[in-house]
Amino acid sequence: MAFIQMALYSETLEMSTDVNVVIPLDSKCRLQDGKLPVMYLLHGLGGDHSQWTRQSSVERYAEEKGIALVMPRVDRSYYMDMKQGADYFTYLSSELPSVLQSVFPISNRREDTFVAGLSMGGYGAFKLALRNPDRFAAAASLSGSLDMVHRLSQPEVFRNGEEGRIFGSIQELKGSDDDLFALACRVAASGNQPKLFQCCGTEDFLYQGNQNFLKHAEEIGLQVTYEEEPGTHEWGYWDRKISRVMDWLPI
């Protein structure tokens, strides 16, 4: 495995930022065109691009599966084109893949492209795949903050009014392309759905929000592989579940 710490200037963000990349070196992992399947792995609120490799064994799991990992830094943006701030979603969905595909041997085909994330990153992963179902074959949310309309009604979650700077108002979020419930309806109606994996510990403070999204998905016919078990919002749980996600991916 090669572990690359990359700094780049983003034209979208108008600033320098960081991304960590893991590349399997064994040639037997490569596809017929020499490229590698890739998973974008998203961090949680308060984390950064180093979080997954510092806190879990994801590098080892990726080596076993022969999949490249891309771990971007998005700060506390919730993977949004912020109302007052940088366009992190545009950076993640458009600019970053283009840059990385020009540098590393990673595939740009839908069937080889996946995304997963924890907490805030679970929201980001589902949003990225549901807004781009023609580009992502599968997405996984681990303890994801999936019911953001409900979360936005709890101001203690955020600090110094940042919820307004990120999302605007609840009214602006609800029904928009940043509302997973609305996105799920559109994708279910289109028939072009990526595979979805959702899990959350039953003692997690985000458990009810996960139940809300799961119920909504069932009502509209959106297919979701769902798993729950005892667990809280912590790395022991996420390390186990990201290994499970690697086994679940359609590689």
Side-chain angles (χ1 to χ4, degrees):
M1 296 291 285
F3 174 69
I4 301 102
Q5 296 174 294
M6 182 177 177
L8 69 152
Y9 182 83
S10 166
E11 299 291 344
T12 302
L13 302 178
E14 298 184 330
M15 66 180 183
S16 294
T17 188
D18 303 286
V19 58
N20 285 348
V21 181
V22 169
I23 299 290
L25 298 180
D26 192 332
S27 60
K28 70 182 180 183
C29 300
R30 297 181 185 270
L31 304 168
Q32 288 185 344
D33 60 1
K35 300 296 180 68
L36 290 161
V38 59
M39 182 163 71
Y40 291 81
L41 197 52
L42 310 183
H43 67 76
L45 187 67
D48 65 14
H49 57 294
S50 71
Q51 191 175 39
W52 274 104
T53 51
R54 288 189 298 111
Q55 301 286 351
S56 78
S57 297
V58 71
E59 187 174 355
R60 177 164 54 86
Y61 305 147
E63 184 175 21
E64 292 169 356
K65 293 296 181 183
I67 184 171
L69 301 178
V70 172
M71 294 161 282
R73 172 185 170 186
V74 303
D75 303 310
R76 293 175 64 91
S77 69
Y78 265 89
Y79 301 89
M80 286 282 295
D81 284 350
M82 300 168 67
K83 295 297 183 181
Q84 299 177 37
D87 290 341
Y88 281 95
F89 185 81
T90 298
Y91 162 71
L92 178 64
S93 61
S94 299
E95 183 182 13
L96 183 62
S98 178
V99 170
L100 296 181
Q101 288 160 14
S102 71
V103 177
F104 299 107
I106 57 177
S107 177
N108 64 357
R109 298 185 305 180
R110 178 185 190 268
E111 60 265 33
D112 307 320
T113 306
F114 319 106
V115 59
L118 67 91
S119 195
M120 177 184 81
Y123 164 77
F126 271 15
K127 183 168 76 168
L128 192 62
L130 292 175
R131 283 178 63 167
N132 299 279
D134 57 330
R135 291 173 47 201
F136 289 88
S141 166
L142 286 63
S143 311
S145 186
L146 303 183
D147 191 349
M148 284 309 305
V149 171
H150 175 69
R151 292 280 283 168
L152 218 60
S153 68
Q154 301 173 296
E156 69 275 8
V157 172
F158 302 95
R159 61 185 189 189
N160 301 323
E162 69 178 350
E163 71 275 18
R165 295 192 295 273
I166 297 170
F167 296 99
S169 66
I170 293 177
Q171 290 73 28
E172 288 175 285
L173 174 63
K174 191 171 183 178
S176 74
D177 284 344
D178 298 308
D179 178 1
L180 294 185
F181 287 64
L183 281 175
C185 288
R186 292 166 201 161
V187 170
S190 75
N192 181 27
Q193 183 196 328
K195 290 184 64 176
L196 298 177
F197 179 96
Q198 178 189 350
C199 65
C200 190
T202 52
E203 288 72 47
D204 195 301
F205 66 90
L206 292 175
Y207 179 72
Q208 187 57 56
N210 274 262
Q211 290 295 298
N212 295 346
F213 182 83
L214 181 64
K215 180 181 179 183
H216 177 70
E218 291 172 344
E219 289 173 347
I220 63 175
L222 190 74
Q223 299 300 309
V224 179
T225 298
Y226 178 77
E227 295 182 1
E228 69 173 49
E229 60 198 81
T232 60
H233 212 70
E234 52 87 24
W235 275 102
Y237 177 79
W238 297 324
D239 184 52
R240 293 191 302 273
K241 299 313 287 190
I242 196 62
S243 177
R244 166 74 178 107
V245 168
M246 292 281 192
D247 291 336
W248 167 84
L249 288 176
I251 299 176

